[in-house]
Amino acid sequence: MPGLTIGDSVPNLQVQTNQGNFKLHDFIGDNWTIIFSHPGDFTPVCTTELGKMAAYVPEFDKREVKLLGLSCDDVKSHNEWIKDIEAYTPGCKVSYPIIADPNREIIKQLNMVDPDEKDSSGKQLPSRALHIVGPDHQVQVKLSFLYPASTGRNMDEVVRALDSLQKALKHKVATPANWKQGDPVVISPSVSSDQAKETFPQGFETVDLPSKKEYLRFTNV
Ligand code: BEZ
């Protein structure tokens, strides 16, 4: 997959949204930000996804994360579509901006093009891409999802991945398979056991493995 990926800085593109025009870096600032794309307005899976994203706004607010959607259709279409989204997911408010990209310039630069999907006039369409951008003005992609048009995303997984990133940044830890908030975490391999005793005074448990290598260490943070 060519283009923007983990570790890259988000390009400072000028974007047009249903909440006004701005440069991406001005929007992101020093915040965690999730930029997520959708194949098109008035399509079934996208309508459910944008509604679910809106329903999860309180979860993202708790984690101090900004949201920015993208669908190629124009701003007028977005404003009409939002009425359907909010009707389908009662109680939700699409409070985040949605980028319009009628010329497909933004999706190329953000690595959000689906090679298999075209609109009725043969123009390219976005995949269901999602970039989680880190804080501290580095505008760096920390994690990306890339789903095809046929597969709607699970917002619990978006929140879980975000929790993992935020946990890893705050403590020198990583999160194991199927981890969720509150579960034990693992100590990064770059931390020696002597360092681990200092960094994790609460203690940690080393799993006894056949190799006798002491690399699987669990702690609670
Ligand atoms: C949808 O959102 O349902 C969708 C959009 C484009 C292609 C297939 C499905």
Side-chain angles (χ1 to χ4, degrees), residues 128-145:
R128 298 186 195 285
L130 181 151
H131 299 303
I132 302 186
V133 182
D136 306 331
H137 290 289
Q138 291 180 28
V139 292
Q140 204 182 43
V141 175
K142 299 291 184 189
L143 181 149
S144 292
F145 289 179

Side-chain angles (χ1 to χ4, degrees), residues 39 43-46 117 128 149:
T43 54
V45 178
C46 300
E117 294 289 338
R128 298 186 195 285

Side-chain angles (χ1 to χ4, degrees), residues 108-155:
K108 283 184 206 143
Q109 301 232 36
L110 296 185
N111 196 12
M112 292 173 155
V113 177
D114 186 331
D116 290 337
E117 294 289 338
K118 303 265 188 302
D119 70 9
S120 53
S121 63
K123 277 183 160 179
Q124 286 176 309
L125 287 173
S127 55
R128 298 186 195 285
L130 181 151
H131 299 303
I132 302 186
V133 182
D136 306 331
H137 290 289
Q138 291 180 28
V139 292
Q140 204 182 43
V141 175
K142 299 291 184 189
L143 181 149
S144 292
F145 289 179
L146 189 57
Y147 284 40
S150 55
T151 306
R153 285 158 286 194
N154 183 326
M155 303 318 163

